[in-house]
Amino acid sequence: MVLPLVLLLGLFGLGSTAQWPTPRRDAAYPPPEMLAFLKPFGALCVKETGVTPGAIKRFGDEDIFDDDRALKCYMDCMFRMTNVTDDRGELHMGKLLDHVPHEFEDIALKMGVRCTRPKGKDVCERAFWFHKCWKQSDPVHYYLV
């Protein structure tokens, strides 16, 4: 009985010290037009929430950590600024896809297919849930501006 459990843990990467795959960061990805569009919103949300640029980079490029309330509220702020969520933190995928360049829509859809039932006691927690789910779904293509 132990062997099947060990096999399952190995298949799903549980119990191992494996690190996240290296995120894709090149001239074409993340899409430069998306970065340019989101940059002003990011500056406003940093100011509003007090999140550190280091926390944004760490979550986007390195690991998932859930002990930073400012980061979670930054994620919600970015959703609000781009008008992709409602007052309850419900994500509208169609509105989100309006901001994604056509050539990257398939990546966005595949990343989000398992991320449709958010949990969290407030909009910041729900925004974090989406980002965590997306990053776990596709750590190579996930990015946080």
Side-chain angles (χ1 to χ4, degrees):
M1 193 64 167
V2 172
L3 185 58
L5 178 59
V6 171
L7 182 60
L8 283 174
L9 290 173
L11 286 173
F12 292 103
L14 303 173
S16 72
T17 57
Q19 295 185 349
W20 288 100
T22 302
R24 180 178 171 193
R25 303 292 184 262
D26 55 52
Y29 199 89
E33 61 272 26
M34 283 292 305
L35 297 176
F37 170 74
L38 293 171
K39 187 176 179 178
F41 298 124
L44 290 171
C45 291
V46 164
K47 189 174 184 178
E48 177 182 310
T49 64
V51 70
T52 65
I56 296 167
K57 181 161 179 45
R58 178 180 160 204
F59 188 92
D61 292 348
E62 296 173 24
D63 60 342
I64 293 174
F65 57 99
D66 63 1
D67 61 347
D68 190 331
R69 176 77 180 167
L71 177 67
K72 293 175 184 182
C73 290
Y74 170 83
M75 293 169 173
D76 172 62
C77 180
M78 292 295 286
F79 281 166
R80 283 185 288 111
M81 291 291 177
T82 55
N83 196 34
V84 297
T85 55
D86 62 23
D87 293 340
R88 295 174 298 139
E90 292 292 330
L91 183 74
H92 298 279
M93 193 62 168
K95 288 182 178 182
L96 181 68
L97 286 173
D98 286 344
H99 298 297
V100 175
H102 179 71
E103 64 269 25
F104 297 109
E105 283 180 358
D106 285 345
I107 291 171
L109 287 169
K110 287 177 186 173
M111 189 182 296
V113 73
R114 293 191 179 120
C115 305
T116 59
R117 295 187 182 100
K119 295 172 181 61
K121 62 183 183 225
D122 60 30
V123 292
C124 296
E125 293 285 336
R126 291 169 70 85
F128 175 77
W129 184 93
F130 279 113
H131 282 272
K132 180 179 176 181
C133 186
W134 294 334
K135 182 168 178 145
Q136 289 172 328
S137 176
D138 187 352
V140 171
H141 292 104
Y142 174 85
Y143 64 94
L144 180 61
V145 177

